[in-house]
Amino acid sequence: MNIADLPNAQAVFVHDDPEGLSASVAQRIAELAAQAIAARGVFHLALAGGETPRRCYEKLRHLSVDWAHVQVYFGDERCLPAGDAGRNDRMARETLLEQVAIPSANIHAIPAELGAREAAARYAAVLEQATPLDLVLLGMGEDGHIASLFPGNPATGSMAATVPVFDAPKPPAERVTLGLGTLNAARQRIFLVAGAGKRDALEQILLGKSLPAARVAAAEWHLDRAALPGR
Ligand code: 6PG
């Protein structure tokens, strides 16, 4: 079983630890931002939630990025009150967005406090101005989920740009996510996957199981050693 055989891998980078992974992905984000801004005058970036990107965002804030020309979106959001400590946008604001010179109008939070259906409808309108996204960052759950697209959940089969999610196995049960079509239409996708908890899902994907992470179009995978299967 060779990790380079991940079916949707453009490239697989195995880092010694989460620190190395975070530094490397932060550098890639800064490079892609510079390229997009030089080519098109704007960088449309969708951030990942969860814990793994936290350190990457902390590192990114020290790199040189022309934040006035970056538009920030979110791959998914948890239906919790605005500002709640459990929200993905709160983590991104604390680790990155409040620390850099990005105009607040460039931060496009998912209004998940309105409930999944209403928030998904409103966010679809926001995304119309932004697609294709330049870069989508993705974590991967232990069950192979990405954003809030969970194995077996009806949202995962949706063709909509944004999708309301109910009965998610990872709390909270109600969420909003970008649809697989939106994620796959982006110019670039990068996975950040760290820790032994991710080995099983990676192994399943290598064995050909169609988990949500395997249904993502060509992507750069950044893993740490602990996540490697077969160890
Ligand atoms: C969330 C997510 C989710 C996350 C993965 C990985 O709302 O939690 O956006 O898709 O990225 O579950 O999370 P970790 O990086 O914490 O393992």
Side-chain angles (χ1 to χ4, degrees):
M1 191 171 290
N2 185 342
I3 197 68
D5 295 335
L6 282 167
N8 51 4
Q10 280 174 325
V12 179
F13 299 91
V14 180
H15 304 280
D16 285 341
D17 48 34
E19 196 66 13
L21 182 156
S22 301
S24 176
V25 175
Q27 194 63 52
R28 282 294 286 139
I29 298 168
E31 281 167 17
L32 290 165
Q35 285 169 15
I37 293 167
R40 293 179 295 279
V42 61
F43 182 54
H44 293 291
L45 168 66
L47 296 177
E51 284 304 306
T52 312
R54 187 181 278 274
R55 193 76 187 109
C56 173
Y57 298 164
E58 286 170 352
K59 290 184 177 291
L60 181 59
R61 74 189 194 215
H62 300 297
L63 300 184
S64 167
V65 173
D66 179 3
W67 288 103
H69 294 98
V70 179
Q71 300 286 334
V72 171
Y73 305 86
F74 293 85
D76 70 327
E77 190 53 273
R78 307 165 179 183
C79 290
L80 297 169
D84 190 281
R87 279 181 61 137
N88 288 330
D89 59 2
R90 165 106 180 244
M91 185 277 278
R93 285 179 199 278
E94 288 178 353
T95 54
L96 174 65
L97 302 172
E98 285 169 1
Q99 321 288 335
V100 297
I102 186 166
S104 57
N106 293 17
I107 302 171
H108 307 279
I110 300 177
E113 64 281 5
L114 301 177
R117 279 201 185 83
E118 176 70 17
R122 291 199 191 191
Y123 211 56
V126 171
L127 277 181
E128 266 178 31
Q129 328 295 319
T131 44
L133 294 162
D134 291 301
L135 173 62
V136 172
L137 300 178
L138 293 166
M140 183 186 75
E142 298 185 1
D143 57 358
H145 77 255
I146 45 148
S148 288
L149 297 168
F150 293 87
N153 189 289
T156 304
S158 170
M159 284 297 113
T162 58
V163 193
V165 180
F166 302 95
D167 301 321
K170 179 178 182 179
E174 188 173 334
R175 291 161 167 263
V176 179
T177 187
L178 303 194
L180 205 50
T182 305
L183 302 175
N184 285 347
R187 291 190 165 93
Q188 180 77 51
R189 285 154 291 280
I190 294 182
F191 275 100
L192 300 87
V193 178
K198 309 295 168 73
R199 283 184 202 163
D200 282 354
L202 287 171
E203 188 168 334
Q204 294 299 312
I205 294 170
L206 286 166
L207 290 170
K209 190 155 180 197
S210 178
L211 294 175
R215 296 175 56 197
V216 169
E220 251 177 51
W221 284 80
H222 288 258
L223 314 170
D224 74 347
R225 290 199 182 285
L228 288 184
R231 287 154 50 87

